[in-house]
Each structure stands twice: as structure tokens, then as C-alpha cells.
Amino acid sequence: MVETFGGLSGLHWALLGAAVAVIGGGTGSSMGITYIANVAGGILTELPDRFGPLLPLVVIPGTQGIYGFITGVLVIFVMEPGAGWEALPGLLGFQIFLACLPVAFVCFSSGAYQGLTSAGAAGMVAKRREEMGRALVLPALVETYAVLSLIVTILIFFTVIAPQIDKLAG
């Protein structure tokens, strides 16, 4: 008999956490890239030589999707493939779900805001190409919070959850 929490097994909670992290990060990234790509497209119609300087600004909101992906992969590795996932207790699966939430929520919002910040920075590059370095710093400041959320998620996985799974494995 599988122990459940809130009507879901541990495996179901863990997979829900992984899905929420991947969906949150991916959605934030896609919104952010859309914002900056629209602005960059407009600039490139007038100034096609700005493609190189604008490309990093378009790409940088994509990192939140990568952080969501990393979190999803971490769930799989923390649950130790082959160790009987279906026997994961419901409460432990719920804790894995909670560990995924920092990346899910922060990367969802920071991806979108990073795209908006990049769009503003693209105006600097359009007017003065030599300002590319300074323009990249502005969206990088938003990135800080996505990185911090990933660090918190990793810390929860390896300091709270992994020892409990090791204890279950015996």
C-alpha cells in the first residue's frame, strides 16, 4: 500500500513539482524572449548591423527555462531512478513539490521581466552600439533572482530531501 498525502502518492507529488518548475521556467522564458524579439525585430529592420549586439539581449531571458529544466532533472535524480519510485511516501513527494516552487514562480516572473528589461536595453544598443556591455548588465540584474531561486531549490533538494531518501533506501 502506497502512503499518500492529500490524496496523491509521493511519485505524483514529485512529478507535479517537476512539471510546475519546467512549465514556470519555460513560460517565463518564452514570454521574455517574445518581448525582446519584437523590439529587436523592429530595430533590425532599420539597423541590420545591430544583430550581433542585440542577440545576447534576446537570448538571456531563455535561461529561466533552462533553470526549470534543471529542476525537473534534479527531481528525477533525487528520487534515485530504479529505487522504487512508486513507494515514495506522499509527504516526501509533497516536500519535493515544495522544493520546486522557488524556481517555478521566480523563473516564471523573472523571465518575463527580463525580457522587458532587455527590450529597454535594446534601445540603448539601437542608438549607440558601443553601449552593448552596459545594456547587457541591466537584464543580468534580473537574472540574479532566477539564479538565487535555483540555488534555494538545489539546497532544499540536497540538505532536506536527499537525506530522507537515503534513509528510506536504508
Side-chain angles (χ1 to χ4, degrees):
M1 183 74 180
V2 177
E3 177 188 333
T4 62
F5 180 80
L8 296 178
S9 71
L11 175 63
H12 291 138
W13 276 115
L15 293 177
L16 183 62
V20 167
V22 171
I23 291 168
T27 303
S29 283
S30 62
M31 289 190 309
I33 289 172
T34 300
Y35 296 146
I36 176 61
N38 285 332
V39 172
I43 293 170
L44 290 172
T45 58
E46 298 291 324
L47 304 165
D49 66 319
R50 298 293 200 275
F51 179 78
L54 287 173
L55 186 59
L57 293 173
V58 174
V59 170
I60 196 169
T63 56
Q64 279 79 359
I66 295 169
Y67 301 153
F69 174 76
I70 290 170
T71 301
V73 170
L74 270 175
V75 169
I76 303 300
F77 281 110
V78 166
M79 292 190 335
E80 297 183 19
W85 293 354
E86 54 281 340
L88 189 69
L91 184 58
L92 186 53
F94 182 68
Q95 290 173 345
I96 292 171
F97 170 78
L98 293 177
C100 294
L101 294 183
V103 165
F105 287 116
V106 173
C107 288
F108 174 77
S109 59
S110 69
Y113 284 114
Q114 193 170 45
L116 293 172
T117 307
S118 294
M124 291 173 60
V125 174
K127 290 183 179 175
R128 297 174 44 192
R129 184 185 184 121
E130 66 276 7
E131 294 293 329
M132 174 53 203
R134 290 184 185 169
L136 195 55
V137 169
L138 301 175
L141 293 172
V142 179
E143 181 81 14
T144 302
Y145 299 98
V147 170
L148 291 175
S149 72
L150 180 63
I151 291 170
V152 167
T153 292
I154 290 171
L155 286 174
I156 293 171
F157 272 122
F158 289 105
T159 61
V160 177
I161 295 169
Q164 293 181 61
I165 290 179
D166 289 343
K167 194 182 294 182
L168 281 175

